[in-house]
Amino acid sequence: RHFMADDSPAPAAGAGAGHRPILLMFTADWCGPCQNFKARVLADGGVSERVNGSYRFQIVDLTSWTGEAAANASHYGVKGVPTLMILDRKGEEIDRYRGPSQPHHFAAWLDRHTSRRR
């Protein structure tokens, strides 16, 4: 499955992001749980359809935990990876995903936030 990910820097608070909320994933190449989440959850057809249809997906690569990526992690209080969160179009955090690495749980979490916007 193909995921439409934007690897540009994460928006700072107050930065506009269009009409769709942002699904932000803090990840690293060395992170086994991150790679598992990408392969098992994000690659799921139902999940990718929801994300691509309702969110602007951005990845923050913390492989080296330096520079702008580290500044964004600090700004959002990220202590470890993977961390997934939904931001509003102003860059304000709406929620963090704290569920299991299973597609149906993540899809239900996305659906709850999509239905709130309608």
Side-chain angles (χ1 to χ4, degrees), residues 36 86 110:
N36 181 52
I86 296 174
L110 293 171

Side-chain angles (χ1 to χ4, degrees), residues 40-108:
R40 292 190 65 228
V41 179
L42 294 180
D44 178 81
V47 170
S48 63
E49 183 177 303
R50 285 169 173 86
V51 172
N52 290 330
S54 299
Y55 295 90
R56 187 174 136 208
F57 182 56
Q58 286 188 272
I59 292 175
V60 178
D61 184 1
L62 293 171
T63 298
S64 63
W65 206 285
T66 59
E68 193 166 356
N72 280 310
S74 178
H75 173 80
Y76 288 109
V78 172
K79 304 281 190 232
V81 290
T83 297
L84 291 105
M85 64 180 69
I86 296 174
L87 309 176
D88 67 16
R89 65 182 205 222
K90 295 179 182 178
E92 300 289 326
E93 183 177 337
I94 295 171
D95 197 12
R96 286 184 193 218
Y97 184 67
R98 292 179 173 87
S101 295
Q102 296 174 351
H104 65 281
H105 287 287
F106 189 69

